[in-house]
Amino acid sequence: MDDPRELARRIFDAGLRAADPFAAVENALDRVQSPALIIAVGKAARRMAEPALARFQGAPCLVVTNYENAGDLNGALVLAAGHPVPDENGAAAGRTVIDALQAAQGPVLALISGGGSALLPAPAGDVTLADKAVVNELLLGAGMDIRTMNLIRQQLSQLKGGGFLRCAAPHQVTALILSDVVGDDLSAIASGPTAHPIGTAAEAIEALQKAGIWARVPDAVRTYLKGAPPPEPVPDCTNVLVGSNARSVAAMAKEAGKAHVMSDPVEGDVADAARKICDEAQPGITVWGGETTVHLRGNGRGGRNQELALRIALEARARGWTRWVCLQGGSDGRDGPTDAAGGLVDQDTLDKIGAVEALLANNDSYAALKQAGDLLITGATGTNVADLGVMIRMD
């Protein structure tokens, strides 16, 4: 067998290639009528816009992406904004997108990828950007699943939950979508700008109460949600899924040659996920996809992929495994507020870390993996199809 750490990385990279935004969009353009406006939003927005600009030369194009993936693009106005916490540049980008949609003179091509929710905050009513930033931080720290977070985000935005379509009306919208959501629910990807809303303001209030954060939500948000008007009907749209987590997992399995593919996506709390992975990981190679959650109890730095990698290392040691490698990474190249995509751990990782349990209790997985030299650093990948994992067991 090749060096197992290098093999794990090669398998992971195959998953990233399967999510290449350029190829995903290029392969779908034959079904798109010539647009009067192109709007690309999300972490993969710039790369998704490239083939569309080559095909529909002269069409005005707006690209809204995160700072790490921003850069000049001939024929497009590229706007960089904050992620995962919305910022003033994102608010300005939201206004620019709304103005462009309302001024469109014909069909609109939307290119949507994960991250679009934070990148285009577009606050509704009297809710401010600062209010939305507080809500977003509360949601990220509450261990909510992505669907519930997006239910709440939709209610506080002019663009999410079909708002994009309302702004573009009466013009037809075709959306090519690169999914970062397990199960590919179109209403959850980037909070569903071209899909029907997930729920209602009343359901958003219920979710915030259930998570125990309703009392910490800004007053303006509580006031708006309690008095939110019934939403206007959502116009029809042609939504086309061009890439997904499942497709990337299949590509990883193909690269591995012979691999066990976990039948269910890995979701939920990272501690539970670590046990599930180790329960299913067979001798040889196992691959999976998904998106876990972390309950924030400390003030350390890290992310769900880094913490999951560490918890897998603890679980493997508890089971007496002696020769193994595990890579757990975010396909976008950034895990939480760090420069790491995740972790690449093995049987020696824990021996290089002092007080790993204390670091985990403080949600300081970045510091722990840095001590071990086991951070997975990829840089911004230009795509986003949730998280990918590889386990190689040699015992």
Side-chain angles (χ1 to χ4, degrees), residues 216-369:
R216 297 163 61 192
V217 167
D219 291 342
V221 172
R222 289 200 300 270
T223 299
Y224 178 78
L225 289 176
K226 288 187 287 188
E232 298 176 9
V234 176
D236 290 335
C237 173
T238 300
N239 286 311
V240 181
L241 188 69
V242 297
S244 69
N245 186 256
R247 294 184 189 186
S248 287
V249 173
M252 292 197 303
K254 183 177 180 181
E255 177 69 21
K258 184 179 180 181
H260 169 61
V261 179
M262 291 182 61
S263 57
D264 296 321
V266 175
E267 299 180 278
D269 182 74
V270 287
D272 296 334
R275 287 190 290 272
K276 176 181 179 180
I277 290 166
C278 291
D279 283 345
E280 290 204 32
Q282 303 173 359
I285 301 173
T286 301
V287 297
W288 62 87
E291 185 168 289
T292 57
T293 56
V294 174
H295 286 277
L296 297 180
R297 300 180 177 88
N299 58 6
R301 294 177 67 225
R304 61 180 182 265
N305 288 287
Q306 294 165 73
E307 186 155 330
L308 179 54
L310 274 178
R311 291 189 179 279
I312 287 171
L314 286 167
E315 190 70 23
R317 173 163 288 184
R319 294 170 188 239
W321 296 359
T322 57
R323 297 177 62 238
W324 59 273
V325 166
C326 180
L327 184 153
Q328 176 66 40
S331 61
D332 61 355
R334 180 177 178 182
D335 187 38
T338 74
D339 61 354
L344 178 53
V345 296
D346 59 26
Q347 67 279 343
D348 299 322
T349 294
L350 297 179
D351 294 333
K352 305 172 189 174
I353 304 171
V356 66
E357 293 283 6
L359 289 167
L360 276 173
N362 193 39
N363 297 116
D364 211 358
S365 53
Y366 183 89
L369 289 170

Side-chain angles (χ1 to χ4, degrees), residues 31-165:
R31 69 187 77 181
V32 177
Q33 67 180 121
S34 183
L37 174 67
I38 302 169
I39 294 184
V41 179
K43 292 182 180 179
R46 186 180 180 279
R47 185 72 171 150
M48 292 180 81
E50 291 178 8
L53 285 167
R55 175 72 65 91
F56 305 117
Q57 296 182 17
C61 178
L62 280 174
V63 174
V64 183
T65 193
N66 55 318
Y67 296 113
E68 294 87 349
N69 289 324
D72 292 340
L73 181 59
N74 190 35
L77 172 62
V78 179
L79 304 174
H83 183 281
V85 179
D87 63 10
E88 289 292 345
N89 286 337
R95 291 190 293 270
T96 301
V97 167
I98 290 171
D99 290 345
L101 288 171
Q102 293 176 340
Q105 299 298 305
V108 176
L109 173 59
L111 306 172
I112 297 170
S113 57
S117 184
L119 293 167
L120 284 181
D126 293 329
V127 176
T128 67
L129 177 64
D131 293 331
K132 290 199 69 173
V134 171
V135 171
N136 204 53
E137 290 184 5
L138 289 171
L139 298 181
L140 290 171
M144 283 185 181
D145 63 82
I146 188 67
R147 182 177 175 83
T148 304
M149 285 195 285
N150 284 329
L151 160 65
I152 296 163
R153 289 164 173 165
Q154 285 180 356
Q155 300 304 316
L156 303 176
S157 171
Q158 299 176 66
L159 288 169
K160 300 172 176 59
F164 186 104
L165 302 179

